[in-house]
Amino acid sequence: MAEPVYLKIADDIRKQITYGLLSANDPLSSEKELCSKYSVSRMTVRKSLSILVDENLLYSVPGKGYFTKKINRDKYLFLFDELDILIGSNKESQLMEVEIIKPTAELIYHLRVSPDKRIVVIKHLLYSDGEIVAYDIKYIPYFTGIPIVEKEINYITFPEIIASRTSIFDVHRKIAISMEIPPDEIINLLNLSLYDPVIIIQQHILDQEGLPIGFGQLYCHYKKCRIEGISVIGE
Amino acid sequence: MAEPVYLKIADDIRKQITYGLLSANDPLSSEKELCSKYSVSRMTVRKSLSILVDENLLYSVPGKGYFTKKINRDKYLFLFDELDILIGSNKESQLMEVEIIKPTAELIYHLRVSPDKRIVVIKHLLYSDGEIVAYDIKYIPYFTGIPIVEKEINYITFPEIIASRTSIFDVHRKIAISMEIPPDEIINLLNLSLYDPVIIIQQHILDQEGLPIGFGQLYCHYKKCRIEGISVIGE
DNA sequence: CAGTGGTCTAGACCACTGG
DNA sequence: CAGTGGTCTAGACCACTGC
């Protein structure tokens, strides 16, 4: 018995879905019927079915049964790391500046803070092969206990700063990748020509209620950035 | 009993990890000990632990026990769809051309085919608000049965074409996002200025052995593309 | 109402790990 | 060897669905 029974059953049912014997929203046999069909206990059948539910091939409706799902393969899993996405070797991140400012209109909107709230701004320069290739700026509403000493900040990540006042598991992040012609400040920093666009990776850090608790933008030279991912099976 | 017992136990253990009572690679109590601690059967404890394993907070070693995992929150899940990433409304994809060519050096490399193999090329134009904003080109080594009639191709997706000779579940995809100054052909198509870069989304379709069975590039106007994702907890 | 999935118990045997 | 997790059985009660 090299392969557990529940895996064999899962494989068998998966094939029925894969090879089109079952199509979207078709009902499956009931757990009890599958028990007799495969001559196993209910727990074993449930284990098999739970695998297929995890794989997004099935869903269950209490009191009704199991049904096959419409599949969509257009989800990609990306490993995103500020240094990982840069092209080149000898990549490093260097703290440029930490300051406390009054929020701009854009920050009032993104962080949903009042205009008199103070905002901690953390700026980093990212190097690849000795050249400046990206500029990273993070905004966090000031709270007591937030690290603002440069020495402390240099070695902790964005979520870690945020998480110092909440659990890291209650923090969600949204990310968006787009391109724009950057402001002059960034054109100079990244040594760009006048109308060169940059890749902007925008991060929104949210608490468990979906309220913003941090906002960041990474401006990256368009020739020095590459983001890679692999497909996963989604709903 | 609003919340099942196994969820309460999972929450309890999750908090111990979250709030730092347990740190990376610390051993957990054994299943048996947890059974007595919470006064439940082994299956209930196992259900709780399996949730935390799925959440990437724990891993188990047969014969030894459960251990807490080092967490890494830098994984993002992206929903990727050729039309979804375009900015604007009234988005549509239109078939431009289908042809069969001899592979270029680049295609021989990416598709690992011999120079005398024929390649099916499928070109689409993507519109947003009536304007051409992206150009999509897909390459698939010719095989008998591949749809090459324009009418047929217009309504099926890249993976579906590929999957006609294999199961869709045996197909993997890799994706990479980068930016480049495009060739002249694309500058004209997308109405770009001479040195405007484009966003390139490169797709590699692989079979279960990792061998290439398709290759595609989407060239998108840099102002008309935005890719969004959400964070997931990874290993 | 009978049938479904969701939860849960109290056992069992196995392969694996460590001392 | 005793202890661990991995697999599996044969029951049970519940809330929910459709008729």
Side-chain angles (χ1 to χ4, degrees):
Chain A
M1 191 180 64
E3 203 184 23
V5 180
Y6 71 86
L7 282 184
K8 283 185 181 167
I9 297 174
D11 286 346
D12 191 50
I13 299 172
R14 189 185 300 106
K15 272 181 192 153
Q16 292 179 42
I17 302 168
T18 304
Y19 294 144
L21 303 180
L22 290 165
S23 42
N25 297 312
D26 277 0
L28 216 66
S29 312
S30 74
E31 291 181 351
K32 211 173 126 193
E33 286 168 345
L34 293 171
C35 289
S36 6
K37 176 175 176 188
Y38 294 106
S39 307
V40 294
S41 76
R42 197 171 152 219
M43 192 205 124
T44 304
V45 163
R46 281 180 63 75
K47 177 103 182 171
S48 306
L49 293 174
S50 78
I51 290 172
L52 300 173
V53 169
D54 285 347
E55 289 177 8
N56 256 312
L57 296 177
L58 290 180
Y59 65 97
S60 63
V61 182
K64 293 183 73 177
Y66 287 84
F67 302 86
T68 55
K69 264 189 137 172
K70 184 177 164 294
I71 60 150
N72 169 2
R73 292 181 57 83
D74 284 338
K75 277 188 181 166
Y76 285 84
L77 193 62
F78 282 81
L79 191 70
F80 175 73
D81 181 284
E82 281 160 13
L83 291 176
D84 256 13
I85 62 172
L86 302 181
I87 296 168
S89 46
N90 298 322
K91 296 176 278 191
E92 57 173 331
S93 165
Q94 197 175 305
L95 185 66
M96 182 183 166
E97 190 182 3
V98 183
E99 53 179 340
I100 296 181
I101 60 164
K102 290 188 184 180
T104 61
E106 196 196 7
L107 288 177
I108 292 170
Y109 172 73
H110 280 308
L111 293 172
R112 286 198 239 168
V113 291
S114 73
D116 53 316
K117 179 85 184 171
R118 288 299 176 275
I119 308 291
V120 178
V121 186
I122 302 169
K123 298 174 185 173
H124 281 91
L125 289 175
L126 308 188
Y127 293 79
S128 172
D129 299 320
E131 258 182 281
I132 298 177
V133 293
Y135 169 64
D136 178 63
I137 185 158
K138 297 180 169 82
Y139 304 93
I140 306 160
Y142 181 82
F143 58 91
T144 52
I146 189 170
I148 49 172
V149 181
E150 305 207 351
K151 222 174 178 178
E152 295 175 22
I153 288 175
N154 216 1
Y155 297 101
I156 54 182
T157 67
F158 199 10
E160 280 168 353
I161 296 172
I162 301 289
S164 57
R165 61 161 181 171
T166 179
S167 159
I168 199 169
F169 293 99
D170 295 333
V171 174
H172 301 150
R173 293 204 278 172
K174 286 202 301 188
I175 195 172
I177 302 164
S178 57
M179 285 180 62
E180 273 174 39
I181 307 286
D184 289 352
E185 183 197 359
I186 288 158
I187 290 178
N188 295 333
L189 271 172
L190 298 184
N191 246 316
L192 293 161
S193 306
L194 196 51
Y195 296 110
D196 275 351
V198 290
I199 296 185
I200 300 186
I201 297 173
Q202 212 174 54
Q203 279 190 60
H204 288 268
I205 314 268
L206 310 168
D207 67 13
Q208 64 270 52
E209 276 104 34
L211 295 172
I213 48 179
F215 172 65
Q217 285 193 298
L218 176 73
Y219 299 86
C220 185
H221 192 292
Y222 75 89
K223 286 179 184 162
K224 303 293 183 176
C225 177
R226 184 180 165 87
I227 303 160
E228 295 183 343
I230 54 159
S231 66
V232 293
I233 298 179
E235 320 187 11
Chain B
M1 190 180 62
E3 205 185 21
V5 181
Y6 70 86
L7 282 184
K8 285 185 182 170
I9 297 174
D11 286 345
D12 191 51
I13 298 172
R14 189 186 299 106
K15 274 180 191 154
Q16 292 178 43
I17 301 168
T18 304
Y19 295 143
L21 303 180
L22 290 164
S23 42
N25 297 313
D26 277 358
L28 217 66
S29 312
S30 74
E31 291 181 351
K32 212 172 129 195
E33 285 167 344
L34 292 171
C35 289
S36 4
K37 176 176 175 187
Y38 295 104
S39 306
V40 293
S41 75
R42 195 169 153 221
M43 193 204 123
T44 305
V45 162
R46 281 180 63 75
K47 178 103 182 170
S48 307
L49 294 173
S50 78
I51 290 173
L52 299 173
V53 169
D54 285 346
E55 290 177 8
N56 257 312
L57 296 177
L58 291 180
Y59 64 96
S60 62
V61 181
K64 293 183 75 176
Y66 286 84
F67 302 87
T68 56
K69 263 190 133 167
K70 182 176 165 298
I71 60 150
N72 168 1
R73 291 182 59 82
D74 284 337
K75 278 187 181 168
Y76 285 85
L77 194 62
F78 283 80
L79 189 71
F80 175 74
D81 181 283
E82 280 160 14
L83 291 176
D84 257 13
I85 62 172
L86 302 180
I87 295 169
S89 44
N90 297 324
K91 296 176 279 192
E92 58 173 331
S93 165
Q94 197 177 303
L95 184 66
M96 183 182 163
E97 191 183 2
V98 182
E99 53 178 339
I100 296 180
I101 60 163
K102 288 188 186 181
T104 61
E106 196 196 7
L107 288 176
I108 292 170
Y109 173 72
H110 282 306
L111 292 172
R112 285 198 240 165
V113 291
S114 72
D116 54 316
K117 179 87 185 171
R118 287 299 177 276
I119 308 292
V120 178
V121 185
I122 303 170
K123 298 175 185 173
H124 281 91
L125 289 175
L126 308 189
Y127 292 79
S128 172
D129 299 320
E131 259 181 282
I132 297 176
V133 295
Y135 169 65
D136 178 64
I137 186 158
K138 298 182 168 81
Y139 304 93
I140 306 160
Y142 181 83
F143 57 93
T144 51
I146 190 170
I148 47 170
V149 183
E150 305 205 351
K151 223 174 179 178
E152 294 175 23
I153 287 175
N154 216 2
Y155 298 100
I156 53 180
T157 67
F158 198 11
E160 280 169 351
I161 297 172
I162 300 289
S164 57
R165 61 160 182 173
T166 178
S167 161
I168 197 167
F169 292 98
D170 293 334
V171 173
H172 301 152
R173 293 206 278 171
K174 285 203 300 188
I175 194 171
I177 302 165
S178 58
M179 285 179 63
E180 272 174 38
I181 307 285
D184 290 351
E185 182 196 0
I186 288 157
I187 291 178
N188 296 333
L189 272 173
L190 300 183
N191 245 314
L192 292 162
S193 304
L194 196 51
Y195 295 111
D196 277 349
V198 290
I199 296 185
I200 301 186
I201 297 173
Q202 212 175 55
Q203 278 189 63
H204 289 268
I205 316 267
L206 311 168
D207 67 13
Q208 64 269 53
E209 276 106 34
L211 295 173
I213 48 179
F215 171 65
Q217 286 194 298
L218 176 72
Y219 298 85
C220 186
H221 192 291
Y222 75 90
K223 287 179 185 165
K224 302 293 184 179
C225 176
R226 182 180 167 87
I227 302 159
E228 295 182 344
I230 54 160
S231 65
V232 293
I233 298 178
E235 320 187 15

